[in-house]
Amino acid sequence: MATILAINISEKKGTPKTSIPVGTLIADFGFEGDAHAGKWHRQVSLLARESIEKAAGMRTDGLCHGVFAENLTTEGIELHTLPVGTRLAVGDEAVLEITQIGKECHAECAISRLVGQCVMPREGVFARVVKGGSVKPGDRIEVLPA
């Protein structure tokens, strides 16, 4: 079963995010209080714990949820293998639609300086919020039928 390990937000783009106990997803916007929220295709970022573990050869002291600037740290789902357009039920109400796999990482971002390199360009997933709702660690993530 796929679950949310952490909900993470930040006030500024390009910086590690801070974990929060409960997050509010707003339809066609993103997480309330997050710098990446807005009317665009990368409203929410997701990164699997399994992808983070691939960073084991990098400097990992202080490696915590949100260090790669992901909004949702997940477990039990290979996010980067899902096709664009896949919809995910998150928690009891929210629905996300994958809009992008990976991204171009700008040179010398705070994350690269902290960790050594970023896995988001290869395995980070971005989504738009189709339906909002409250989410928290431990909530399930389910791939919805096409």
Side-chain angles (χ1 to χ4, degrees):
M1 181 175 92
T3 59
I4 296 172
L5 291 179
I7 293 99
N8 314 294
I9 63 170
S10 65
E11 293 180 11
K12 294 167 78 173
K13 292 183 180 182
T15 61
K17 296 183 183 287
T18 302
S19 294
I20 57 174
V22 176
T24 301
L25 283 164
I26 301 169
D28 199 29
F29 188 72
F31 272 105
E32 182 177 66
D34 186 59
H36 290 91
K39 301 266 184 196
W40 69 318
H41 71 287
R42 290 187 352 203
Q43 297 170 349
V44 175
S45 58
L46 301 92
L47 187 62
R49 175 193 55 80
E50 295 83 354
S51 294
I52 294 169
E53 286 179 353
K54 290 179 184 178
M58 296 184 295
R59 191 181 124 210
T60 57
D61 56 314
L63 198 60
C64 56
H65 300 304
V67 74
F68 291 105
E70 77 276 7
N71 290 120
L72 293 174
T73 311
T74 67
E75 181 175 52
I77 186 169
E78 287 190 31
L79 295 165
H80 67 283
T81 65
L82 299 173
V84 169
T86 300
R87 288 193 173 191
L88 303 170
V90 182
D92 293 332
E93 303 171 282
V95 175
L96 303 177
E97 180 179 67
I98 296 175
T99 57
Q100 184 175 329
I101 309 294
K103 72 173 190 104
E104 185 176 333
C105 201
H106 56 280
E108 295 302 313
C109 73
I111 295 143
S112 291
R113 286 192 306 272
L114 177 68
V115 183
Q117 73 177 29
C118 188
V119 296
M120 288 301 280
R122 295 180 310 280
E123 299 191 17
V125 172
F126 299 88
R128 72 178 184 89
V129 182
V130 175
K131 182 180 178 193
S134 178
V135 295
K136 64 188 179 313
D139 279 353
R140 66 168 174 71
I141 301 170
E142 180 181 340
V143 175
L144 296 174

